[in-house]
Amino acid sequence: MAEKILMKGNEAIAISAIRNGVDGYFGYPITPQSEVMETLMKEKPWETTGMVVLQAESETSSINMIYGGASCGKKVMTSSSSPGISLMCEGISYIAGAELPCVVVDVMRGGPGLGTIQPSQSDYNQIVKGGGHGDYHNIVLAPASAQDMYDFVDWGFDLAFKYRTPVVILADGIIGQMMEKVEMHPMKPRRTDAEILEAAPWATTGKPAGRERNIITSLSLDADIQERFNRKLKGKYEIIEENEVKFSEYMTEDAEYVFVAFGCSSRICEAVVDELRAEGIKAGLLRPITLYPFPFKEIERLSKQVKSMMSIELNLGQMVHDVRLAVNGACPVGFYGRQGGNIYTPEEIVSEFKKFNGLA
Amino acid sequence: MTGHKQMKDMSISIEEIKKPENRIYGKPSLLTDNVMHYCPGCSHGTVHKLVAEVIEEMGIQDKTVGICPVGCSVFAYNYIDIDWQEAAHGRAPALATATKRLCPDKYVFTYQGDGDLASIGTAEIIHACGRGENIVVIFINNGIYGMTGGQMAPTTLIGMKTSTTPYGRDPKLNGFPLVIADMIAHLDGTAYITRQSVHTAPAARKAKNAIRKAFEYSQKGIGLSFVEIVSTCNSGWKLTPVDANKWMVENMFKKYPIGDIKDILK
């Protein structure tokens, strides 16, 4: 029986980083995710696994520390919340352009601007559609529990190194602050120098005689070279879209109405489905676990069996556009959201669902 | 010419002259054969050569990671045969920080111009100094943005004409020059700060010694070493290489005097 510990989602990120052999964490304090760095500093992993933990002077600097660390083939990560992530987007674009692996955690809060410090899901467009400049994607994982926060760190690094691309764990203030039991998996040691050379032969580990120098860059002044590179990235994204989509379904088999919700909203929508089922309404839930790649095919399939679908998000309606793309007119698509850090109750969603479907 | 004549008189064959032990000068092996994009007269080429020589002489090619800036030296990675990271504008000290902390046995240096380091990258350089990162910073100060076509830099002198100060830098409109090396000398995390130039052979030799010392200090765990090279940008300054050197000595050296500013081991 694996050990289970009660902890916050933010703490789970930190503990998972230590236990999964992460080499470095570089961050800057911001609510509601400061517990990530606080936990790391308290745990002092530099004395146990040798993991480097550093408080940077800004999010701009911390993401560029990630760029430097990732350039060395190390498993490096940072975390922040929405306004800090905006600052990081420049660096994330460079990381995507230089084809470097890293994990970034965004514990979303209400925006735009300084916004609020309460939970929100309003960075969907920013993170799923890119965020920084240029043609690129992040792989985006949407945790819905403290356990997911723990598990997605390791999964995120697997994907990041497999595709040499930034991976964002797109959490929110609820998932970051909520305490739940988390199952600890066996410790994974940090990679040895030899293992890094094997996993990342492109890394700046110091040029020995007999190999070409390794250059980490996102620069090319030649339009044709840049276009070839953009098409190479596109090819990589097509492979990711083909192979890495992950979602879960709840009571969709015979569903006549399907909710689409990610992260904390998917937890709330499970309760909504239960309430509607208790009333005899055949409701179900599709939870995208990866937001990029997005489960377009799955939603398209469900759209052909249901009377309607509804996207439930803590924002003004961002993912709903992807749902509509997937549905492509096959059924009506509704939306209900709360903003600014407010959170819907299941009853509120039931009532909005009934209004939308003329069942009230 | 005298040397050639003497050799002829002594009947030394060309094969003899070509022997390694008879050579008094050569291109450092770490300098690649790529044609440099720098303008004739620019200081970058000389500083690149000095850095390459130091790395070669210290025998640390396989232990060195360089971080390029954004600016004229963005392509430094084309010229020195070591592993390189190309940073976003101003962020090189952040990349260097992580690289050095994650790979403490490596020699890690940034190579940055004044637009990169003294303008957009002030937060990164100040805090790398504040934290006492064990890295080397080579700072090329030519008082102008070279690559983007000669705009005002934070280090542009008062009265100096650039494309964005066409009537000369006016402190009321454009503020005063930043003297970065003196500023960071006050920070406890810096170990060695010096200001050099490469406009004459003796100056280049001193600059090379300073670069070597900075690399050596970076492995002592005593903090950041900073080598400012007061440089020319004859294209941006609209001067011939010779006149640019003269102008630098007469004007730049007054604001940015040459010499060591701090050495905690002295």
Side-chain angles (χ1 to χ4, degrees), chain B residues 44-111:
Chain B
H44 273 305
T46 313
V47 181
H48 279 21
K49 176 176 156 287
L50 300 182
V51 171
E53 281 178 355
V54 166
I55 295 169
E56 182 178 335
E57 288 166 19
M58 289 176 74
I60 54 169
Q61 181 190 24
D62 60 339
K63 291 195 193 71
T64 303
V65 178
I67 323 280
C68 306
V70 170
C72 284
S73 48
V74 68
F75 287 122
Y77 56 71
N78 283 337
Y79 309 127
I80 304 180
D81 192 22
I82 54 168
D83 282 356
W84 285 97
Q85 302 169 11
E86 208 308 288
H89 202 18
R91 317 294 177 223
L95 277 68
T97 292
T99 299
K100 182 66 180 176
R101 288 194 179 231
L102 288 159
C103 314
D105 60 318
K106 298 287 186 297
Y107 290 79
V108 181
F109 73 97
T110 70
Y111 188 107

Side-chain angles (χ1 to χ4, degrees), chain B residues 95-260:
Chain B
L95 277 68
T97 292
T99 299
K100 182 66 180 176
R101 288 194 179 231
L102 288 159
C103 314
D105 60 318
K106 298 287 186 297
Y107 290 79
V108 181
F109 73 97
T110 70
Y111 188 107
Q112 305 175 258
D114 43 27
D116 191 85
L117 182 143
S119 190
I120 197 167
T122 42
E124 283 74 14
I125 188 61
I126 296 287
H127 287 278
C129 290
R131 288 189 303 263
E133 301 296 343
N134 294 303
I135 60 171
V136 176
V137 174
I138 312 277
F139 172 44
I140 306 297
N141 176 11
N142 56 18
I144 206 160
Y145 282 73
M147 182 166 253
T148 44
Q151 294 83 10
M152 180 187 74
T155 47
T156 297
L157 299 178
I158 297 300
M160 194 171 158
K161 285 183 181 171
T162 71
S163 69
T164 51
T165 55
Y167 308 106
R169 182 173 188 167
D170 173 0
K172 282 195 180 131
L173 182 63
N174 312 112
F176 297 92
L178 284 191
V179 188
I180 295 281
D182 296 72
M183 288 163 62
I184 60 171
H186 295 290
L187 301 175
D188 294 336
T190 51
Y192 174 53
I193 299 173
T194 187
R195 192 181 286 122
Q196 302 291 334
S197 68
V198 293
H199 63 301
T200 62
R205 273 198 294 278
K206 281 186 197 157
K208 182 180 165 184
N209 290 339
I211 292 167
R212 174 149 189 158
K213 188 185 213 176
F215 271 78
E216 286 165 355
Y217 274 32
S218 75
Q219 294 312 83
K220 293 183 194 289
I222 53 174
L224 188 140
S225 292
F226 188 93
V227 182
E228 172 174 345
I229 312 279
V230 182
S231 301
T232 56
C233 175
N234 42 288
S235 296
W237 295 357
K238 317 285 184 218
L239 294 171
T240 64
V242 172
D243 286 348
N245 278 344
K246 209 188 283 175
W247 193 89
M248 175 176 75
V249 173
E250 286 168 3
N251 298 280
M252 293 286 279
F253 286 5
K254 282 188 192 143
K255 185 71 186 169
Y256 307 110
I258 303 301
D260 284 356

